[in-house]
Amino acid sequence: MIGELDSRQAELRELHSQVLACRACERAGLLWEAHPIAGGCATARVMVIGQAPGVRSMRSGRHFSGPGGRLLREWLARGGIPLERQEREVYLTSLTRCYPGPAPRGGSGDRKPSPAEVALCAPFLERELELLDPRLVLLVGSMAIERFLTRAPLRNVIGTIRERNGRQWLPLPHPSGVSRWLNDPSNRELVERALAAMREVVERELRSGY
Ligand code: SF4
């Protein structure tokens, strides 16, 4: 008999196939070429939502493959999820699944996905939230924070945690070196506060699974 987890994993695999086959933004003229990425395990009870894959993630097919990913994994470990458990316990995803290309001339880093791209990709994310029903969601970067919590300067939200719809939502800055936000020691202090809040949630709500 197929168990609940097996059935969830099968549904997740089906969803990943749909993501990988998606060319909606290309058809709508929003992307020159769509290269979606998808993956992750149904056992995860923590979800990380970023903005969009970078060029390294597009090539590897895995979210957070760039240098920012190393710092993110370090944050997760300090937040109570050791490296060796992250594959199984943390589901990495983002608002959109295709590399949006570089920032327009004069800008640094990657282009932010447009509201139209985010809207087209939203059903995939909604379905992931529904299937995995994570206890804790880490919102990485301003776009993900705005989409699920609030539009506010990072300084006002990093270090806070909110409960909504039966789950905890923890805002974090993007860990890539593109933004200079993390260079300020007082901002790094806010990240420490966020990781302490994360440890509390992991210990309180997820202990049985760790
Ligand atoms: S960003 Fe999302 S909706 Fe757009 S083509 Fe890629 S997978 Fe499809």
Side-chain angles (χ1 to χ4, degrees):
M1 200 174 82
I2 194 163
E4 193 201 328
L5 185 60
D6 290 337
S7 127
R8 206 145 29 106
Q9 186 64 57
E11 286 187 66
L12 196 58
R13 261 199 300 270
E14 171 55 29
L15 179 66
H16 291 162
S17 306
Q18 290 169 16
V19 172
L20 294 173
C22 180
R23 298 292 179 271
C25 293
E26 203 180 299
R27 279 201 304 276
L30 300 167
L31 281 178
W32 178 252
E33 200 170 5
H35 281 290
I37 65 169
C41 200
T43 49
R45 299 174 74 198
V46 174
M47 184 179 280
V48 177
I49 304 178
Q51 176 175 297
V55 69
R56 285 188 181 86
S57 292
M58 177 186 71
R59 290 185 185 134
S60 71
R62 293 168 62 87
H63 288 280
F64 293 99
S65 289
R70 277 196 290 280
L71 183 55
L72 176 69
R73 282 188 286 280
E74 194 188 302
W75 285 349
L76 289 168
R78 284 164 51 209
I81 307 174
L83 262 180
E84 64 277 13
R85 294 192 178 211
Q86 291 177 11
E87 182 80 26
R88 199 175 155 71
E89 302 293 350
V90 182
Y91 187 90
L92 303 176
T93 188
S94 50
L95 298 178
T96 65
R97 314 310 161 95
C98 293
Y99 172 53
R105 221 160 11 152
S108 57
D110 299 335
R111 176 178 71 80
K112 286 185 171 191
S114 64
E117 288 161 89
V118 173
L120 279 175
C121 221
F124 294 135
L125 186 51
E126 296 302 333
R127 184 70 183 128
E128 284 169 327
L129 280 164
E130 192 186 336
L131 268 176
L132 292 160
D133 192 20
R135 302 272 49 84
L136 173 65
V137 181
L138 275 49
L139 299 168
V140 173
S142 305
M143 271 192 83
I145 296 168
E146 277 178 28
R147 164 77 177 77
F148 287 97
L149 285 183
T150 181
R151 183 178 192 146
L154 283 179
R155 279 196 66 81
N156 294 2
V157 288
I158 307 298
T160 65
I161 188 161
R162 299 196 197 169
E163 182 169 358
R164 189 174 287 175
N165 301 331
R167 52 181 68 111
Q168 306 286 333
W169 301 81
L170 184 84
L172 284 171
H174 199 283
S176 85
V178 173
S179 126
R180 308 225 176 282
W181 198 84
L182 283 168
N183 292 348
D184 183 330
S186 64
N187 290 343
R188 290 202 299 275
E189 181 53 40
L190 293 176
V191 173
E192 290 308 315
R193 217 180 285 168
L195 297 181
M198 177 180 167
R199 266 196 310 278
E200 258 179 49
V201 175
V202 167
E203 282 164 21
R204 185 181 69 236
E205 297 205 18
L206 310 177
R207 184 179 288 150
S208 58
Y210 282 79

